[in-house]
Amino acid sequence: MPTANTQEENSKSELQKNHGGGGGFTRWAVVAVIFRLALIYFPGNLNLSSRPEVSTPLTSIRRLAEGYWLKQSSMSPYAGSMYHGSPLLLSVLGPLTVKRIEGQPGHILCSLVFVLADLISAILIRATGRKLQIAYRKSLKSLNLPNKSTDSGALSSGDIAALVYLWNPFTIVACVGLSTSPVENLFTILTLYGAATGLAPLAAFGWVMATHLSLYPAILIIPVILLLGYGPDAPPSKLFRSKEHGKVGDGKSSQEIIFSWRRAFHLLVWTSLWSVYVLVLCSISVKQHGSLQEMFQRTYGFILTVEDLSPNIGVLWYFFAEVFDFFRDFFLIVFHSNILFMILPLAIRLKHRPCFLAFVYIAISSMLKSYPSVGDSALYLGLLGLFLDELADMQFSFFLFCGYVGVSLLSPVMHNLWIWRGTGNANFYYATAMAYACFQIVLVVESVSSMLNHDRKLTKLSTSKLQK
Amino acid sequence: MAKVEKKEVAAATPPWKPKPRPIVRLGIVLISHSLLVSVVCCTAGIVALFLLPMLAKNTYISENALMPGSASSMLSNHDISEAERLAKDLTSLNSGAADAGIERRRVLAKYLSDLGVEVGYHKFQSHQNQFHPLHFFSSPDSGLSQENGSCSSYGINVVGIIRAPQADGKEAIVLVTPFNFRKNSSSEALSISIGYAVFSLLSRVSWLAKDIIWLVADSQYGEYASVASWLRDYHIPVFSASSSHNADSCFEGNNINLLREESPGRTEISSGFRRAGTMAAALVLKVTDVKGQLEDTLSVYAEASNGQMPNLDLINVVNYLAVHRQGLRVKVEKFLSVLTWEWIWMLGDTLNFIGKVAGSLNPEWKFGISTPDYVEGTATLASSLYRQALGIPTGPHGAFRDFQVDAITLEISPKVVYTNQGRRNEFILRSARLIEGVVRSVNNLLEKFHQSFFLYLLTSPAKFVSVGVYMIGFALLVAPLPLVAASLYVDANKPEPSSQDPKQKLQINFKPWKWLSAAKQVFTVHAWGVFVSLLPYFISQIPNSTPAAHSIIWFSLSTFGLLVLYLITKSPSKPQKGKWENLKSVTISAVFIGLLLMSVVNFATAQIGALVLVPACLLAQPLKLDIRTASLKSFLRIATNVFISFVAFPPAGFFILKGVNEGFGNMDVGEFWTWLESLWAWNSATYIYIGMVHLPCWVLCLQILLHSC
């Protein structure tokens, strides 16, 4: 019951806070929900659900409805390479795709589910942000540094992150365009929330579900373990140690950061429990018409072998359309290990900031995944808001903003030029995809470097204090 | 994009680094000299635009398979006399009779079925063009609305299809002849003659590899509407009977049953919709009477919606056959008023002189162009740019482009109205041989037209400027935008000298995020732009009002909306006192993105828009600052700014252009509305550009000018 928890917490913290941040958040969140409902009601002729930017072979609701239809007519939902999602999602959302209410637009129930998912995600982001902020203030206090983040504005970084998530056009488009990415994002955020609040069972559940739905969140296990082991983001532990060293006369060592093996062990136990549970549910669901092996082949295998080469905003489809079949396996390994190569160095460098590490992992995987959509970008852009205090002096913010706006407008135009007018070709569209990837790289690089700069600044400040 | 990156990299380089990378240093140099660079680039961009007629290349046939003119014509006098008999039969019918239209269709169908081809009628209702603000991003069919039109506006096309003896019927070539069945017009009868002569020949030949469709389009509700509705029915089969049933129910009452009698000819006339394969190309054939011509001329119209052009090879083939085989004079549309401008002639003289001097220095340099050629080229180029920028198709061929079919309209006008049958037959022979030759060339195609250009501007029927050339001028024109935006951004966000010692406190002052408030302002104005562009949809619903009333309502509502927005957003943003540099920087970035987008959607609009917006944005500076300094330079800047911001206001610009062209005598407020209505009725992206890029940027420039700094 994460919602009840967070809402309780929200109300508590609103009482603690005297400025009107909470009210502002509620108001804007309600407006965001109303805005989504309005868009659902007047879909116009936007055809969002058939846009390649919004719905990928993995997240398209039309494919899900097809899979459900196949299942209803006693066939394997994975027959015919239409559906590639989870059987659990099929059991939950499938019945909603066929149910029509008189006088309402089609798929209205699904839309409502996605709106709800977005709202819960935002609330969870907000709660996570609050946790992070409390931890940040505590660590600043223990380093005897003045806390400057309070005068940053009326809203705290958690609120801003939640609102950024809710009001991001990408999120809105993914939600209104009936892709299942809001649900996938919800479980990823749930993982982070569970880990940040130290609830190993919740984190394990979120992680297992997110991995089950879209595979790539599997790499989040490292930040989740770190988060549970070390607690939320803090300045480098070296800093505390040197501080303890300086004040050795006090004999206090409460600030010593120890990795809590007990919690990590809890997480592993819960993870295996939930995994078994999910697998059992899946096998029950696919038992009649297929097997678990087919499910793995058609979901994870489909993701890893990049079978569907229809255009999307990622960089893999064009490459694998061009590459000789002979080299295909080799390049599949190269491209997927791209993500894996980055895991370890980043984990070592950013181990004191597990939440930020999770953000970086999510951003990298949404850039290099086989079927990316704007919903993935929506997730990491929302999480970016959580580190507002640390990333306050990030460079290129304006440039990145212009780039994101420009690319997200240019991409549909190029697609139109290629598909409908026939005057352009695939290179036009792929060029925007590459530009988009470049902007994402710049974003990741800049945010990591400014986070490291922030740490350096803290180190400098605290050492200068110690020397005084 | 790469440029922006460069600039930004430079903007963000910390000053203490001893030696930045060369590319960064280049960026720093460019930004620090942004004024000089922007003046040079803008001038070069405008000069490049005027050099385009000189840089135009001769057209050439790029697709080898076309082989135009390699076969001799098979058209005989027998075909022509048959065609003339048909024309006589059609014109001899009494036009006053109520069922003359039906009678004419029956005559035509009888002739066609006598040829042994498939004949069918296509019934359609003419739809009023609807406002689809988002049509551009959706597929062609999604904008189709099946509303219940009244039964009064229906038309019937006659379609004949020749099945190719050698082929599998996967491809087709379309001939279109607009014909008003209700009226007697000699020129339309002539065009039917030409069409029939070609068609009767093609029904006998053995070399056909593609089916031939001859569409005699009922033009009583406009030539475009009938062709468009036929194409829609051709490409988008209706599975539910509801919509076609609707049209049929109308015909029941209108004694359409006359058409459904037993066939008089060799083949049966079907009432169902007949299809052939995918269309390789389409030719629309028209004959017009133009007085005072020296020889028979052929005018080529190619612009489809949103400035899309057919593949250049199609025009090349037509041009080659018309000039070298049939001796017709080929024309493309040009602005005649340009020919009377003195300064264009002077410019042409200068360029001619420069070309000569260059030629004398090095005989290899052959870029000289004679003055009349230059002026003619400029006039054609101006017309080409204007037609593409409007985004309104110049003929029925525009409907084909929406389905990715290359099509052009051929308008043939005879020297005189022929009374002598021999001369008339000769004219028909030449025109029909031209069509036959083009059909034969297209028939040779193995794949769709793809070899030659899709993005080009014509400077004469045999000369073109390709995308690679005209983009240079545009790129030069807009290149200063990211540069100036970056330099303003750097100026506005310079670290203050007081904050240099970082030991004092933990600085989290959100300095790099200062642009956010400016971005908010820009966003609000653009949201207002969306509101303004959607307003006409609601205003046009008001019954019984004139265009003038519409425009007044529109203007007042827009102003009201702007005021409301201003009042809402004013109160919180006032204490921050946003720097105007930031606002200008964000505005320029928005203009840059908008122009870039538009250059992909419709280049001509972007080019014309850039000529107005780039100087407006670059020169904008708060008037207060200029008034304070009170020098000659600042006075000049004030004058230019006021002038540009007056001209850049869309209605003002429209009326000035109109006044220059037609005299300021009879101005009507409603004209602007009518003009815009035609834009949105044709789903022109230019309308969206004006509403969502141009107008907001104009407002933002005004805000910068009136900024209280």
Side-chain angles (χ1 to χ4, degrees), chain B residues 202-454:
Chain B
L202 293 176
S203 69
R204 287 184 279 112
V205 296
S206 58
W207 44 258
L208 271 190
K210 294 177 169 60
D211 297 347
I212 305 289
I213 305 174
W214 187 27
L215 173 70
V216 181
D218 188 354
S219 64
Q220 56 181 320
Y221 302 109
E223 292 158 1
Y224 186 90
S226 54
V227 177
S229 68
W230 177 75
L231 273 171
R232 211 158 42 216
D233 289 347
Y234 190 95
H235 286 101
I236 305 159
V238 181
F239 294 111
S240 65
S242 62
S243 59
S244 61
H245 179 78
N246 196 355
D248 278 338
S249 64
C250 289
F251 294 116
E252 299 295 315
N254 284 303
N255 58 13
I256 198 71
N257 314 354
L258 281 175
L259 289 172
R260 296 227 181 98
E261 63 191 33
E262 72 280 9
S263 154
R266 274 158 56 191
T267 50
E268 199 168 311
I269 298 172
S270 70
S271 57
F273 197 89
R274 292 281 181 154
R275 287 190 180 80
T278 54
M279 299 171 187
L283 297 171
V284 182
L285 179 71
K286 279 158 76 174
V287 176
T288 48
D289 293 327
V290 182
K291 299 265 156 40
Q293 291 193 101
L294 298 175
E295 51 196 319
D296 299 341
T297 53
L298 168 70
S299 310
V300 175
Y301 295 93
E303 287 87 359
S305 58
N306 281 323
Q308 301 178 79
M309 301 290 278
N311 197 296
L312 188 55
D313 264 347
L314 186 59
I315 298 179
N316 290 346
V317 170
V318 170
N319 185 45
Y320 178 85
L321 289 174
V323 173
H324 297 289
R325 288 287 180 276
Q326 307 307 330
L328 292 166
R329 194 164 157 262
V330 182
K331 283 199 312 187
V332 284
E333 204 184 4
K334 61 184 160 210
F335 278 155
L336 293 173
S337 61
V338 174
L339 299 179
T340 61
W341 293 350
E342 271 308 312
W343 62 275
I344 285 284
W345 285 93
M346 278 161 64
L347 192 64
D349 282 339
T350 320
L351 290 174
N352 189 16
F353 176 70
I354 293 173
K356 266 184 193 151
V357 169
S360 67
L361 288 178
N362 186 349
E364 295 281 301
W365 295 341
K366 284 183 209 147
F367 53 80
I369 184 171
S370 74
T371 314
D373 275 357
Y374 176 79
V375 176
E376 289 257 323
T378 313
T380 318
L381 185 74
S383 156
S384 193
L385 267 178
Y386 173 73
R387 287 285 163 211
Q388 288 193 20
L390 267 192
I392 299 173
T394 45
H397 60 271
F400 285 94
R401 189 62 237 175
D402 292 342
F403 297 92
Q404 288 197 24
V405 181
D406 296 295
I408 49 174
T409 296
L410 306 176
E411 201 177 273
I412 309 176
S413 28
K415 191 164 60 176
V416 286
V417 178
Y418 293 116
T419 44
N420 179 351
Q421 188 62 43
R423 299 283 301 280
R424 190 179 152 99
N425 281 359
E426 198 218 321
F427 173 74
I428 295 173
L429 186 72
R430 282 163 74 194
S431 314
R433 278 193 172 153
L434 169 67
I435 307 289
E436 185 207 345
V438 177
V439 167
R440 190 147 192 186
S441 275
V442 175
N443 185 54
N444 290 341
L445 275 185
L446 296 176
E447 8 182 2
K448 271 182 65 166
F449 276 110
H450 67 280
Q451 279 277 352
S452 198
F453 296 89
F454 282 104

Side-chain angles (χ1 to χ4, degrees), chain A residues 152 392 397 416 419-421, chain B residues 136 139 401 404 510 513 515 601:
Chain A
S152 63
S397 52
N416 178 284
I419 299 293
W420 293 114
R421 290 191 177 192
Chain B
F136 177 73
S139 50
R401 189 62 237 175
Q404 288 197 24
F510 293 92
W513 298 89
W515 54 270
V601 176

Side-chain angles (χ1 to χ4, degrees), chain A residues 45-47 51 136 140 146 148-149 151-152 388-389 391-399 401-403 405-406 409-410 412-414 416-423 428 439 442 454 457-458 460-461 464, chain B residues 1 4-5 8-9 12 14 132 134-143 306 308-309 401-402 404 454-455 489 502-508 510-513 515 519 585-586 589 593 596-597 600-602:
Chain A
N45 43 17
L46 265 178
N47 279 335
R51 302 284 326 167
Y136 181 67
L140 279 189
K148 276 274 160 187
S149 62
D151 54 341
S152 63
L388 211 61
D389 294 334
L391 301 182
D393 35 34
M394 191 171 125
Q395 291 167 346
F396 301 125
S397 52
F398 180 50
F399 166 62
F401 176 77
C402 288
V405 171
L409 291 174
L410 204 58
V413 172
M414 290 298 192
N416 178 284
L417 216 62
W418 172 30
I419 299 293
W420 293 114
R421 290 191 177 192
T423 48
F428 286 48
F439 284 120
V442 174
H454 183 76
K457 198 191 262 172
L458 284 183
K460 216 181 201 172
L461 285 172
S464 70
Chain B
M1 284 292 139
V4 191
E5 198 167 0
E8 287 279 338
V9 167
H132 303 300
L134 301 165
H135 188 86
F136 177 73
F137 287 112
S138 49
S139 50
D141 56 311
S142 66
N306 281 323
Q308 301 178 79
M309 301 290 278
R401 189 62 237 175
D402 292 342
Q404 288 197 24
F454 282 104
L455 306 168
Y489 181 77
K503 285 174 190 171
Q504 285 308 94
K505 54 187 174 188
L506 185 58
Q507 299 165 13
I508 299 176
F510 293 92
K511 252 203 149 35
W513 298 89
W515 54 270
S585 168
V586 179
S589 311
I593 292 174
L596 216 64
L597 272 180
V600 176
V601 176
N602 187 348

Side-chain angles (χ1 to χ4, degrees), chain A residues 171-211:
Chain A
T171 326
I172 294 172
V173 162
C175 174
V176 176
L178 289 168
S179 87
T180 55
S181 35
V183 179
E184 291 166 13
N185 289 351
L186 171 64
F187 283 110
T188 312
I189 293 168
L190 187 67
T191 314
L192 289 184
Y193 169 75
T197 44
L199 297 170
L202 190 64
F205 175 69
W207 182 77
V208 167
M209 280 310 290
T211 309

Side-chain angles (χ1 to χ4, degrees), chain B residues 147-165:
Chain B
E147 78 264 51
N148 300 337
S150 63
C151 287
S152 58
S153 57
Y154 69 90
I156 305 172
N157 299 325
V158 180
V159 186
I161 300 179
I162 302 170
R163 301 288 172 190

